[in-house]
Amino acid sequence: MSKLRLDRLQRFQRILAENGFDCYVAGTPISMGYLAGFFEGGGERMLALFIRPEGDPAMIVPSLSRTHAETTGVVDIRDWRDGEDPGELFEQLAKEWGLTTAVIGVDDEIPAAILLRMQTALPAALFKAAGDLMAEARISKEAEELAAMREAAQVAEKAFDAVLPLLRPEMTEHEVTLLLQKAMLDQGGQPTFCIVASGANGAEPHHSSDETPLREGDVLVVDWGCSVNHYLSDITRTIALGDPGQEAKDVYSVVLEAHLAARNAIRPGVPAEEIDAAARKVIEDAGFGDRFIHRTGHGIGMMGHEPPMIVRGNAKPLVEGQCFSVEPGIYLPGKFGVRIENIVTVTSAGHESLNGEPPRELTVVAV
């Protein structure tokens, strides 16, 4: 059965035509997977799906990937063996498609050696980074995509619920990370990342979990996610291991208010930056404006970070079906951090949270 998604392919072809592109080179598992159900990366080998504004696509693949490529339903598949130059296959395809002086878009993450080989083959063509076009095609999630993202969110939350009662002083951040990863696997998800940041480490938004032991009274920022059917979850919860004191509880209340203010501003047509502004105003009014040191959110789907970015300066209006994080935070160096993150999707009435609601008060784990 063909995996090629003609509806998505045709939508993307219209985007190429509207933006003046003669060809697009989809060379990442996400791009090829979205359009053709082909979630395989070539690494250093040339493996790509070639798309033009009209007509059927083509693939250039290593011979070891040909059988897999044939399941896509793409008819024009050209394979090469190790030791051969796949650039010659591209040269032939370019000749057939008339790409000598074409404008050719490429995935943002295509390997440099492969791009340079194509540029050598077509010195008069204009190659342009065009991952934003692929992101535009994927930006409004379909019902099946939302279903996978809801499931991924549920897997992540069930895993956290299973691990939370196990937390004890002297466990290390790394040990908690391993527990969460195993719990996500047990729930049927594929772990993609996990940050456990305790105490002062929580003031580093992208802390890399290490052997720091948990201490009684620590505030923990836990940021984790998994993949289900190629779609991702991403959630952050802030908890305390024993009583952390009033300051942490007060900061948590401010961040929660900012989180809810941002979500209350979500509806189709609202500029993305207004969501950021709503969260930022709450934190600034509380006197912590300089400690909110990142954007309020990022898009998510097959990629962990994709458009729309919920950040000052992004005036693009929200569109129904978009999915993104809402994750304001306050970070106090040498003390602790607090971040609260849910994934939401824009609906006609406002938004739907794919995660359960964050606790109204800082969760304190008894020790």
Side-chain angles (χ1 to χ4, degrees):
M1 181 177 177
S2 172
K3 296 179 182 178
L4 189 64
R5 293 294 299 263
L6 291 178
D7 55 339
R8 295 176 178 179
L9 177 64
Q10 290 166 1
R11 182 169 68 247
F12 186 58
Q13 288 177 312
R14 288 194 296 272
I15 292 172
L16 291 179
E18 291 166 1
N19 287 274
F21 283 84
D22 302 301
C23 179
Y24 187 90
V25 184
T28 65
I30 289 173
S31 294
M32 292 187 289
Y34 181 75
L35 295 175
F38 188 82
F39 293 94
E40 181 179 334
E44 76 282 6
R45 295 180 171 98
M46 183 182 288
L47 189 164
L49 176 68
F50 296 83
I51 305 145
R52 45 187 169 169
E54 293 183 355
D56 294 332
M59 295 185 77
I60 294 177
V61 304
S63 294
L64 57 86
S65 299
R66 183 179 181 98
T67 301
H68 185 196
E70 288 173 349
T71 68
T72 64
V74 174
V75 175
D76 186 354
I77 299 175
R78 311 177 188 209
D79 66 290
W80 59 280
R81 296 189 176 189
D82 289 343
E84 298 176 345
D85 178 12
E88 294 179 359
L89 294 179
F90 174 69
E91 290 172 359
Q92 182 60 35
L93 178 66
K95 181 178 180 181
E96 294 171 15
W97 284 11
L99 301 179
T100 302
T101 58
V103 178
I104 301 174
V106 299
D107 272 341
D108 290 347
E109 298 178 6
I110 195 167
I114 293 173
L115 175 58
L116 290 169
R117 178 62 182 89
M118 292 190 294
Q119 288 176 318
T120 299
L122 298 178
L126 176 61
F127 288 82
K128 298 175 68 173
D132 57 332
L133 300 185
M134 184 62 71
E136 181 182 342
R138 300 197 322 266
I139 203 162
S140 291
K141 304 302 185 279
E142 302 162 6
E144 65 186 87
E145 297 177 285
L146 289 172
M149 293 181 69
R150 290 189 188 97
E151 185 176 351
Q154 291 170 6
V155 165
E157 293 193 67
K158 288 178 180 178
F160 184 69
D161 290 344
V163 169
L164 192 60
L166 305 179
L167 300 183
R168 295 290 183 271
E170 302 309 320
M171 293 177 70
T172 67
E173 294 174 347
H174 183 61
E175 287 173 334
V176 178
T177 294
L178 293 177
L179 287 174
L180 261 175
Q181 290 173 336
K182 182 180 184 304
M184 285 188 280
L185 285 169
D186 291 344
Q187 292 290 336
Q190 180 62 47
T192 51
F193 78 101
C194 185
I195 298 171
V196 177
S198 62
N201 291 342
E204 305 168 7
H206 281 175
H207 173 71
S208 180
S209 303
D210 56 27
E211 299 303 320
T212 300
L214 310 187
R215 304 295 188 192
E216 184 172 352
D218 273 355
V219 175
L220 277 69
V221 178
V222 186
D223 188 349
W224 76 104
C226 64
S227 171
V228 171
N229 294 330
H230 306 291
Y231 286 86
L232 305 179
S233 60
D234 185 359
I235 181 172
T236 304
R237 292 292 182 258
T238 300
I239 62 174
L241 194 62
D243 188 357
Q246 192 59 44
E247 183 182 27
K249 297 174 183 177
D250 292 343
V251 170
Y252 182 91
S253 295
V254 173
V255 175
L256 177 64
E257 183 182 351
H259 174 87
L260 296 175
R263 285 174 50 186
N264 287 338
I266 298 169
R267 60 187 181 278
V270 172
E273 64 183 354
E274 289 190 14
I275 313 306
D276 179 87
R280 206 164 295 278
K281 182 178 187 305
V282 172
I283 291 175
E284 289 174 348
D285 288 351
F288 294 102
D290 63 335
R291 302 320 314 158
F292 182 11
I293 53 178
H294 54 72
R295 64 194 173 209
T296 294
H298 57 81
I300 186 172
M302 285 185 168
M303 295 181 67
H305 288 193
E306 62 183 40
M309 298 303 170
I310 310 303
V311 65
R312 181 185 292 122
N314 182 6
K316 291 183 178 180
L318 299 180
V319 176
E320 189 171 349
Q322 287 177 325
C323 294
F324 54 85
S325 67
V326 177
E327 50 179 310
I330 293 174
Y331 307 93
L332 304 180
K335 293 183 176 181
F336 59 85
V338 174
R339 184 167 65 255
I340 299 171
E341 176 185 19
N342 276 30
I343 300 301
V344 301
T345 183
V346 182
T347 67
S348 59
H351 78 279
E352 172 199 343
S353 175
L354 303 188
N355 304 106
E357 292 303 322
R360 293 291 172 159
E361 297 180 348
L362 179 62
T363 297
V364 178
V365 179
V367 296

